[in-house]
Amino acid sequence: MSGDALSQDPAELRRRIDSSKAHPARVYDVFLGGKDHYPADLDAAAAGLAANPRGYLDVRHNRDFLRRAVTALAREDGIRQFLDLGTGLPTAENVHQIAQRIAPESRVVYVDNDPVVLAHARALLTSGPEGRTDYIDAALKSPARILEQAARTLDFDRPVALCLVAVLHFVEDAEASPIVRELVDALPAGSRLVLSHLTEDLNPENIRAVRRTYTERGFTFVLRSRDDVERFFTESGLELAEPGVVPVHHWRPDHAAPVPEQPEESYLAGLDDIEKVRYEDINDVTDADINVYGGLGAKG
């Protein structure tokens, strides 16, 4: 277990938290049924849900894509090291829990720059005794710093799975591709890239309405086409694994998405729509619900 970032002065950490403005990691937390967010985040999530009433399926199926990808990497590809950028708030299940259940010796480094994520990051550092986890307090736009600090935990002479899951749509075009190339260039042969990204290819009316609600709140929100997402792989010299870049619910589906426990009907009736999201069963997904592409690439 590590995490030098956790030694940051609590008072300084509190000063860094701006609870008056929504933050992507905390809005994501709302949709995943978490509790580590503020009214501004809840308001942003509720506005997004009003714009696209089944938009929670994008978030939850994106998370389920991560579960399946990490499982495949650990079980089938023998990957034992993971670098997860744009980690978000701890939730069930985190990358180290998935990977270490299959291979207890797995090492995982989490990276995020939201001070609220940092405040809760100890939950990400619950590695089993055979493995190791670490947390880096850094922005995605600082790849050199991320790589330098990740090398404390990861062995860059052995394959690493780089996870960029639902994070690049918060990065402008001029920066996104160079960041991915710099990160992938530092990885050894046999490494993998797991990537997911919002798109307007699939159901444009729904996702454009959501984009408006978030850009009004100051978020960078770049929707990219399938070709754009594929270029993150091909321009970094990666070979796409089957089935390529596809809507996340079609990426090696195993129909094992967790089903939340259902509360009493009387309790459910008293909740707002955004509060009900945590209890939704996502297994009724259709192609008309999803606006996220996912893919996995290998470095030769």
Side-chain angles (χ1 to χ4, degrees):
M1 187 183 298
S2 185
D4 290 350
L6 300 189
S7 62
Q8 187 169 136
D9 176 54
E12 174 59 27
L13 193 57
R14 286 193 294 274
R15 280 193 292 271
R16 285 179 54 192
I17 297 173
D18 184 353
S19 61
S20 68
K21 295 179 181 177
H23 187 283
R26 303 195 301 261
V27 174
Y28 196 70
D29 180 66
V30 175
F31 279 108
L32 290 176
K35 299 178 180 178
D36 301 317
H37 49 261
Y38 296 100
D41 307 303
L42 191 64
D43 175 72
L49 190 69
N52 181 15
R54 283 172 68 81
Y56 62 88
L57 289 164
D58 277 332
V59 177
R60 299 265 300 280
H61 273 280
N62 175 74
R63 191 75 192 186
D64 203 53
F65 160 73
L66 176 64
R67 174 187 65 81
R68 298 193 308 276
V70 171
T71 298
L73 290 170
R75 182 174 291 152
E76 300 168 19
D77 296 351
I79 300 295
R80 298 293 181 262
Q81 301 190 108
F82 298 83
L83 178 57
D84 183 10
L85 276 64
T87 297
L89 285 146
T91 189
E93 286 184 301
N94 301 298
V95 170
H96 73 279
Q97 293 165 316
I98 301 165
Q100 290 182 354
R101 185 165 55 243
I102 297 164
E105 70 275 22
S106 296
R107 295 186 171 202
V108 180
V109 172
Y110 295 105
V111 183
D112 209 300
N113 72 327
D114 178 13
V116 175
V117 177
L118 175 58
H120 293 273
R122 292 189 188 280
L124 296 171
L125 302 182
T126 54
S127 173
E130 297 173 58
R132 191 175 174 193
T133 58
D134 199 359
Y135 180 90
I136 299 172
D137 177 23
L140 181 61
K141 297 179 182 181
S142 305
R145 179 167 179 261
I146 290 168
L147 291 164
E148 178 185 6
Q149 294 195 25
R152 300 177 308 189
T153 302
L154 305 179
D155 178 359
F156 281 91
D157 291 326
R158 296 171 51 233
V160 175
L162 172 65
C163 300
L164 295 170
V165 174
V167 64
L168 288 172
H169 41 251
F170 300 118
V171 183
E172 298 287 2
D173 284 332
E175 297 173 300
S177 291
I179 287 169
V180 176
R181 284 198 298 273
E182 183 171 349
L183 290 166
V184 171
D185 283 350
L187 304 180
S191 292
R192 304 290 196 273
L193 171 63
V194 178
L195 188 150
S196 66
H197 201 293
L198 282 168
T199 184
E200 59 185 344
D201 286 359
L202 304 172
N203 300 290
E205 185 176 342
N206 288 349
I207 196 63
R208 287 171 185 163
V210 172
R211 177 174 60 186
R212 282 194 297 273
T213 69
Y214 292 150
T215 54
E216 287 168 359
R217 288 164 171 77
F219 288 11
T220 298
F221 208 77
V222 184
L223 302 173
R224 294 187 171 98
S225 69
R226 184 197 299 259
D227 287 347
D228 294 334
V229 175
E230 286 181 346
R231 276 195 288 274
F232 285 124
F233 294 94
T234 57
E235 291 182 356
S236 299
L238 302 174
E239 181 177 352
L240 272 165
E242 290 295 330
V245 171
V246 296
V248 285
H249 64 308
H250 289 313
W251 195 90
R252 305 185 192 179
D254 61 4
H255 309 290
V259 178
E261 278 190 42
Q262 295 300 302
E264 296 289 335
E265 281 293 332
S266 57
Y267 173 79
L268 206 56
L271 299 179
D272 293 335
D273 287 345
I274 191 62
E275 295 171 316
K276 293 177 183 176
V277 162
R278 72 176 64 199
Y279 302 110
E280 296 287 355
D281 180 357
I282 67 171
N283 291 289
D284 65 346
V285 66
T286 70
D287 289 350
D289 295 319
I290 296 298
N291 302 282
V292 188
Y293 283 130
L296 188 154
K299 185 171 183 178

